[in-house]
Amino acid sequence: MKASAIICEYNPFHNGHKFLIESVESRTDNAVVAIMSGSFTQRGDVAIFDKFSRAATAVRNGADLVIELPTVYSVSSAQNFARAGVRIAAALGCTDELCFGAEDDIELLKKAAEMFYDDSFNERIKRNMDDGDYYPQAVSKAAAELAPELGDVLAKPNNILAVEYIKALRNTDIQPFAARRKGASHDTDEISEGIASASKIRKMILSGEKVDDLIPETDLSHPADINRFESQILYRLRTMNKTELSLLPDVSEGLENRLYDAIRSSKTVDELIYKVKTKRYTHARLRRVIIAAFLNINADMPKVPVPYLRVLAMNNKGAELLGAVKQNGKLPLITNVADGYGRLDGKAREIFDIDLRATDLHSLATDEILPCGEDFTRGIIKI
């Protein structure tokens, strides 16, 4: 059996996500594997619902198997996020395509990805960053200078991630498949064709608005809001010195000094980010730095290739695929956390410890605080 992989967050799972799965299923009999962020996400935020309920929702709405994208990669840069997701897809040993949504067609995206192997393009990116641009802006400007039609392609958030996927696939046998995004654009407040961005839906859920027409399932109990553990985050940051701050992912060029000064004078996380932010440091990057500090993730962890495959949920087709993964997979497969954790050591255990910590802390952001150890008490969800 072959697999079509989707790297995702499902934060929360909405109609646009279901549309992508249906686009895959309409053209192949492959099993659909969702490689999903766990308790924290790439924008530097807590996932609005726990990973177990999000995985179950995904399987009830078309995914056959859900594999967790470990936390150290899910709260990392787009490049690290994409590389880790692709490594998992390849390590399954049966994936022949990676599927994602994008605003442009696959040929334009491939051309954009090829630009990153051009020395002059990378020199322009560096020059733009030296001039103060943050990375996505530097990339878009450099592309526009060399190929105007690609500058627009690389200015769109979903395309940027799609290009990172294509780059990460370069030395694999996995083919990229891009489905044109339907409905609202990424991170906007638009609602179109029954589809809104995940950020819009999160805002609506947290403000108590109805989202029944925007998501396929409507159990919205115990949503997580990062503001619920703002004091814990500030406590963690206030106990760190400059050296400790300098060891966080994405901290370089003296950013630890700006962070340290802002931490000591800020009463909220938003105030801290406002004081640190410059043209070069995006809100998302700073949020990721703060979450890395909160979870005790250091800069070396995202550099380690993904060391295991953790299964969260599956249906019968997913179980059949899992049999193929057991035979052909290229990484340790964790289907029972107690047993799997015992077999890990070194960097692999260190990275898994972050997953455990992230799960234990997630419920602190909800109105139902749970005891620690849920990863050990929750088995694979079978639907």
Side-chain angles (χ1 to χ4, degrees):
M1 179 180 287
K2 293 295 184 180
S4 295
I6 299 173
I7 303 170
C8 56
E9 297 197 298
Y10 295 157
N11 187 36
F13 190 96
H14 59 64
N15 293 344
H17 298 133
K18 189 167 185 176
F19 171 75
L20 176 57
I21 292 176
E22 289 171 348
S23 298
V24 175
E25 291 177 331
S26 69
R27 43 178 292 281
T28 178
D29 291 328
N30 286 2
V32 175
V33 178
I35 300 166
M36 188 190 79
S37 298
S39 301
F40 290 79
T41 67
Q42 206 264 333
R43 64 185 292 115
D45 201 355
V46 62
I48 194 162
F49 299 115
D50 70 82
K51 64 188 180 186
F52 304 105
S53 62
R54 286 164 34 241
T57 297
V59 174
R60 284 194 292 266
N61 288 277
D64 298 304
L65 180 68
V66 181
I67 305 288
E68 182 173 5
L69 179 64
T71 308
V72 300
Y73 313 104
S74 71
V75 297
S76 191
S77 66
Q79 187 177 64
N80 287 336
F81 181 92
R83 283 177 178 171
V86 167
R87 176 168 167 80
I88 290 173
L92 294 172
C94 51
T95 306
D96 64 6
E97 65 175 10
L98 180 71
C99 310
F100 45 83
E103 280 93 351
D104 289 289
D105 67 64
I106 191 67
E107 293 308 318
L108 266 180
L109 295 170
K110 286 179 178 178
K111 286 180 182 178
E114 282 301 312
M115 293 188 74
F116 287 86
Y117 303 97
D118 181 332
D119 289 342
S120 65
F121 178 60
N122 290 302
E123 287 167 7
R124 286 171 186 266
I125 294 173
K126 183 178 183 303
R127 184 193 66 203
N128 291 340
M129 292 186 70
D130 289 342
D131 289 340
D133 290 337
Y134 58 88
Y135 181 72
Q137 187 179 36
V139 167
S140 179
K141 285 172 67 173
E145 291 165 3
L146 291 175
E149 74 280 8
L150 296 182
D152 183 54
V153 170
L154 287 169
K156 301 170 184 174
N158 276 288
N159 284 352
I160 292 170
L161 195 52
V163 166
E164 291 297 342
Y165 292 147
I166 293 169
K167 287 165 59 184
L169 291 172
R170 188 178 176 89
N171 295 315
T172 74
D173 295 327
I174 301 171
Q175 296 301 309
F177 167 70
R180 278 295 185 101
R181 276 182 61 88
K182 178 182 177 183
S185 301
H186 175 83
D187 253 1
T188 70
D189 282 337
E190 301 172 23
I191 297 177
S192 175
E193 301 179 67
I195 295 174
S197 69
S199 60
K200 170 66 173 176
I201 296 172
R202 288 193 298 273
K203 289 177 189 174
M204 293 174 70
I205 291 171
L206 292 174
S207 64
E209 296 179 59
K210 277 189 163 293
V211 294
D212 300 29
D213 295 336
L214 304 174
I215 59 177
E217 297 189 16
T218 54
D219 179 3
L220 306 179
S221 55
H222 313 302
D225 182 349
I226 197 168
N227 293 312
R228 286 181 181 268
F229 50 38
E230 184 168 56
S231 293
Q232 292 96 321
I233 291 174
L234 290 173
Y235 167 80
R236 169 62 180 151
L237 292 170
R238 289 184 178 195
T239 62
M240 298 178 73
N241 59 39
K242 289 183 182 180
T243 299
E244 290 169 326
L245 291 169
S246 72
L247 298 176
L248 295 172
D250 258 351
V251 172
S252 60
E253 300 166 339
L255 177 56
E256 67 273 16
N257 298 314
R258 292 181 62 86
L259 282 167
Y260 184 80
D261 292 341
I263 288 165
R264 306 201 69 74
S265 63
S266 298
K267 294 180 287 186
T268 67
V269 171
D270 283 345
E271 181 186 358
L272 190 162
I273 291 173
Y274 176 79
K275 288 178 177 179
V276 176
K277 188 183 181 311
T278 66
K279 189 178 179 184
R280 184 160 193 167
Y281 304 127
T282 65
H283 275 90
R285 176 177 173 179
L286 294 174
R287 285 194 298 264
R288 287 195 296 270
V289 168
I290 289 167
I291 290 300
F294 183 52
L295 297 175
N296 203 24
I297 298 170
N298 64 52
D300 290 333
M301 290 180 182
K303 298 174 185 175
V304 176
V306 179
Y308 52 80
L309 304 172
R310 162 82 187 279
V311 180
L312 292 178
M314 63 185 176
N315 58 18
N316 290 337
K317 190 172 182 179
E320 185 181 346
L321 181 72
L322 198 59
V325 174
K326 288 177 180 177
Q327 289 188 333
N328 304 314
K330 301 168 186 174
L331 287 174
L333 181 65
I334 297 177
T335 55
N336 178 291
V337 171
D339 291 343
Y341 183 73
R343 288 186 276 111
L344 298 177
D345 56 20
K347 292 294 183 182
R349 176 168 285 205
E350 188 178 338
I351 288 169
F352 201 88
D353 280 336
I354 300 296
D355 289 343
L356 299 177
R357 182 177 304 139
T359 303
D360 290 342
L361 292 175
H362 181 274
S363 75
L364 297 179
T366 76
D367 60 3
E368 184 188 45
I369 297 177
L370 300 174
C372 294
E374 197 176 8
D375 276 303
F376 291 95
T377 58
R378 296 282 294 266
I380 295 175
I381 299 162
K382 298 175 182 178
I383 294 172

